[in-house]
Amino acid sequence: MEISELYADIIMDHQRNPRNYGTLEEKDVEVHTTNSSCGDEIFLEIKFDGDKISQIAFHGHGCAISKSSASIMTELVKGISKQKALELSKKFVEMVKIGKTQERELKDAVVFQGVSQYPLRTKCATLSWHALEEALKRTAV
Amino acid sequence: MNCLPKSDIRESFPILSTVFDDGKKLIYLDNAASTQKPRCVIERLKRFYESENANVSRGAHRLGNIATSEYETARDQIANFIGANPEEMIFTSGTTESINAIVYGWGEENVKKNDEIVVLVSEHHSNFIPWQQLAKRKEAFFKVVSVRRDGTLDLNEFKKAITNRTKVVAIAQVTNTFGVIHPIDEIVEIAHSKGAITVVDGAQSVPHILTNVKEMNADFLAFSGHKMLGPMGIGGLYISKKRIGEMRPFFFGGGMIDRVYNDRTKFANPPQKYEAGTPNVAGAIGLAEAVKFLKKVGMAEILDHERQLLEYSYHKLDGINGLALYGTRDLEKRVGVLSFNIEGVHPHDVATILDFQGVAIRSGHHCAQPFMRYLGIHYTARASFYFYNSVEDVDALTDAIKDVKERFS
């Protein structure tokens, strides 16, 4: 594997210009998740419209992998239902674990397949997704 | 067994000739986390398991005698290496266990309500949390003394923090984050002048600086074998004669008794009193072999070599835009640890990209979150040298750092 595969253009783009970065004025849930092995942390905020994730934002500090993964995650789940978001999360976590996926729904997030070769870095890629799962769990009906 | 370092010292370390599948050579710069092992240590372990393996101080058979004799000889040699008498040193699994042993063996007995326990903000978690938690249990005060931003200690500030109520001063002689050497003799003197006992975390100093516990005059000194060429899972704790009488056993079981009755137990004398259960015999013997190797290389030469590499690193890296180098610039107060950050790049990414070049460094909070928080940084990247590192290793490091800067610019 080459550096340019792990730090693909799309990852570098999202880490330089993270989408949905910041805070929400109105939110239904806020989750703070940390990666104890490195100290990275993410604050994830979500506003729902019924069952749908209508607005989502994150901030915190983390590496290129965790920041870009959070950015791509927020783009993927914005506008979809809680159930759908949970399904995506499971698929993403599975992909990072085994290093491959057939799931086209993961779209740009498939770029993180290569992270599986770096067991210590997989937590970076999944941090924001775990925050999402926690947020959905807390707001489950 | 020939343990003479070869003229090319690197040849004594099999792992240093590693070439990875992608053709990249290993450049090992994570020595503050763990050092590599010379062939003689590896072979010593093999010899123990092939021809000497038995439990110690138990049976009367030949192997048991050999193992016991080798184990106690190892204690003599390692105690001697830090200037201690053998009966003043117990074997532990490493610094963390050693410090916890002080807390449970001495602290539980002697620290009382309203006493003060003093540490520095720059301590490793293993010399921080055990004391913080002891203070909570005893309703004692846990005092965290600040250091300067370059990691050095202002002795006047330190002096002010020590009062007649201070019971314990627990300080690392060398910080694992920036490799800053604290003036341990003065620290011990100040603490003793107020009647406090002194605990020295030697994890990062014993492998790099000639240590003499009698000259240092500390009450306790903890260290780890794997950071000084020895096997993992073995370390030591020096306990001064005065303090050893104030301790109670904190682990109970085999090997630590004189007589056991239904209603009471008479314990063995130290050090056995504090070594319950089957010890890490192979580890102790391997560490003794490592200590022999270090003595032959020479502790003064080791520190001198690390300083040269550090100076060379500064020569190559100083002044690069957006590169922060941490720790005092007075390199006489440093061991070979180089903590740094590249502006806008998370150190985990730095470490991963360096790893693509075969360069192994550490990144993160270095188990020193209170210090990182105090400095307002979350983490650093850290390269740490040992005597087997070369100028070429530093070149590989500095080239890789420049590569990271370009990729993320």
Side-chain angles (χ1 to χ4, degrees), chain A residues 7 38 40 61-64 121, chain B residues 346 348-349 352 356 378-379:
Chain A
Y7 291 94
C38 63
D40 280 5
H61 57 92
C63 61
R121 303 299 305 275
Chain B
H346 191 290
H348 272 25
D349 296 316
T352 299
F356 276 106
H378 294 291
Y379 15 54

